[in-house]
Amino acid sequence: MVTSSQPRDVPQILLSVLFLSLMIVACLWIVRPFILGFMWAGTVVIVTWPVLIRLQRLLFGRRSLAVLVMTLLLFLLFIIPIALLVNSMVDSGVPLIRSVSSGEMTLPDLNWLNSVPVIGARLYTGWHNLLDMGGTAIMAKIRPYIGTTTTWFVGQAAHIGRFMMHCTLMLLFSALLYWQGEKVARGIRHFATRLAAKRGDAAVVLAAQAVRAVALGVVVTALVQAVLGGIGLAISGVPYATILTVVMLFSCLIQLGPLPVLVPSIIWLYWSGDTTWGTVLLVISCVVGTIDNVLRPILIRMGADLPMILILSGVIGGLVAFGMIGLFIGPVLLAVSWRLFDAWVKEVPPPQDNTDEVLEEYPLPDSSSDR
């Protein structure tokens, strides 16, 4: 018996797809101002969810009290310090931009090189020979790039209104997710299961692990190092300590560590004759520079090995794409994508090491047989 298949109604299919596409685009356009805040809140809630559960147990099982305490902690330990840091960065960055743009910044004389034993006089003479051969011209050429770069970085922090809006949204969405966390997680897993069955559910779990790994192992470690290093810069009397702290945070996020900022600061303190505070900052730098070797293994317990190029690309790309918030969101997005891609690739066995056996199964055509 032959059954004739009904012809497909192509216009109906095209119009249905077009309608669904328009609905999706319209919904995304409506929620576009809230996407970054919600992503930021989701990252924070995923990382701090075990803390919420412990607080709920301590507070007699009351979820409302636990959510209130967690929201207050986020406001005191996260929102206020970041807002103060951004405001201080903008305030201290204005004179720096003015000095760079007006041409007041010149190459230093480095008289302290004469005090270096054995080779100090030669270093001082060589440095001044370089200045006489065109040091002023070199500074004149690189000054526009320094000014442009500095203005761009400070300009990213200058959007205080938008940044504070995202901070407020993050705090609001975090409270909502804390309150209905299990229901939201169940809904996301249900949707993923509807899309790709068990593979979709596994993808959601892997994504949560990747978020927690990059947030704890990279972002939290960088924040701790930057805060401790910034405190050392502030108490040592190093100028522009706020801007240097932001640069140190950026350096820690891209896995260069805090030493590219702390070492020049130590040299400057000794050069200016403040040996006491230079020694204090040297001790602080030894602690801050090595704390990640102890802190990162403690924070990362799921064994997520994230490539350095992934973190570097996420930090820089996130900063360019989303501003200051991208420093945190960029690595998280790339880490989630990397874990899902890695899991998808590993669903099949790896290729054989012996390439000759592969060529035996799929031999190349013999050109001599065509003659």
Side-chain angles (χ1 to χ4, degrees):
M1 180 178 179
V2 179
T3 58
S4 59
S5 59
Q6 296 181 354
R8 296 182 178 179
D9 192 350
V10 177
Q12 180 186 6
I13 296 175
L14 292 178
L15 290 176
S16 300
V17 173
L18 178 61
F19 176 76
L20 291 176
S21 301
L22 290 176
M23 290 294 295
I24 294 174
V25 171
C27 292
L28 290 177
W29 185 262
I30 293 173
V31 302
R32 182 173 57 93
F34 311 103
I35 291 178
L36 288 180
F38 187 80
M39 292 172 59
W40 197 4
T43 301
V44 172
V45 170
I46 290 174
V47 174
T48 59
W49 186 258
V51 180
L52 174 73
I53 299 302
R54 292 181 182 179
L55 279 176
Q56 183 176 346
R57 293 174 182 172
L58 294 176
L59 296 174
F60 313 104
R62 299 286 298 274
R63 174 60 64 88
S64 57
L65 294 178
V67 172
L68 180 61
V69 172
M70 288 298 299
T71 306
L72 292 176
L73 287 176
L74 287 180
F75 183 76
L76 294 176
L77 302 179
F78 198 72
I79 302 299
I80 292 181
I82 288 182
L84 294 177
L85 184 64
V86 171
N87 285 324
S88 179
M89 179 181 174
V90 173
D91 293 338
S92 60
V94 171
L96 178 61
I97 295 175
R98 186 182 297 113
S99 63
V100 171
S101 303
S102 61
E104 298 176 1
M105 181 175 290
T106 58
L107 294 176
D109 187 68
L110 300 184
N111 286 322
W112 59 273
L113 288 175
N114 289 316
S115 61
V116 178
V118 183
I119 62 173
R122 294 183 179 180
L123 291 176
Y124 182 77
T125 303
W127 174 252
H128 275 267
N129 289 335
L130 179 63
L131 293 182
D132 296 337
M133 292 171 57
T136 306
I138 294 174
M139 192 64 191
K141 290 182 179 180
I142 66 175
R143 187 181 293 117
Y145 300 99
I146 297 176
T148 302
T149 305
T150 307
T151 305
W152 184 83
F153 270 100
V154 177
Q156 293 298 315
H159 301 289
I160 300 177
R162 186 177 64 178
F163 185 76
M164 293 307 299
M165 182 194 70
H166 287 306
C167 290
T168 304
L169 290 176
M170 186 274 290
L171 196 65
L172 176 62
F173 286 138
S174 296
L176 295 176
L177 290 176
Y178 282 139
W179 182 257
Q180 299 289 339
E182 293 89 353
K183 184 179 296 185
V184 174
R186 193 179 302 111
I188 294 175
R189 293 181 61 185
H190 194 182
F191 177 73
T193 304
R194 180 65 180 86
L195 288 180
K198 292 184 178 180
R199 179 187 289 181
D201 191 14
V204 173
V205 176
L206 285 175
Q209 291 180 357
V211 170
R212 189 166 297 170
V214 71
L216 291 178
V218 178
V219 177
V220 174
T221 305
L223 284 174
V224 171
Q225 287 184 292
V227 169
L228 294 179
I231 293 174
L233 294 174
I235 64 176
S236 301
V238 177
Y240 302 110
T242 304
I243 295 180
L244 293 178
T245 301
V246 176
V247 175
M248 189 166 21
L249 173 62
F250 185 81
S251 177
C252 293
L253 285 172
I254 63 177
Q255 306 302 294
L256 292 180
L259 296 183
V261 176
L262 293 176
V263 170
S265 301
I266 296 171
I267 295 174
W268 181 85
L269 287 173
Y270 279 109
W271 168 49
S272 61
D274 198 352
T275 57
T276 301
W277 286 112
T279 305
V280 171
L281 186 58
L282 177 61
V283 175
I284 295 176
S285 301
C286 293
V287 176
V288 175
T290 57
I291 195 174
D292 61 326
N293 297 324
V294 179
L295 188 61
R296 186 176 289 115
I298 295 177
L299 293 176
I300 300 182
R301 297 185 181 276
M302 65 284 297
D305 186 14
L306 301 175
M308 179 178 177
I309 186 64
L310 185 77
I311 300 171
L312 177 63
S313 303
V315 171
I316 298 177
L319 179 64
V320 174
F322 306 118
M324 293 292 292
I325 299 179
L327 289 173
F328 310 99
I329 296 180
V332 170
L333 287 176
L334 289 187
V336 171
S337 302
W338 170 257
R339 289 296 300 272
L340 295 179
F341 174 77
D342 185 61
W344 175 72
V345 171
K346 290 182 178 178
E347 288 182 355
V348 298
Q352 301 177 9
D353 295 332
N354 191 350
T355 56
D356 294 334
E357 295 181 0
V358 177
L359 293 178
E360 289 179 0
E361 295 180 6
Y362 299 95
L364 296 175
D366 189 1
S367 60
S368 61
S369 61
D370 298 337
R371 299 179 180 176

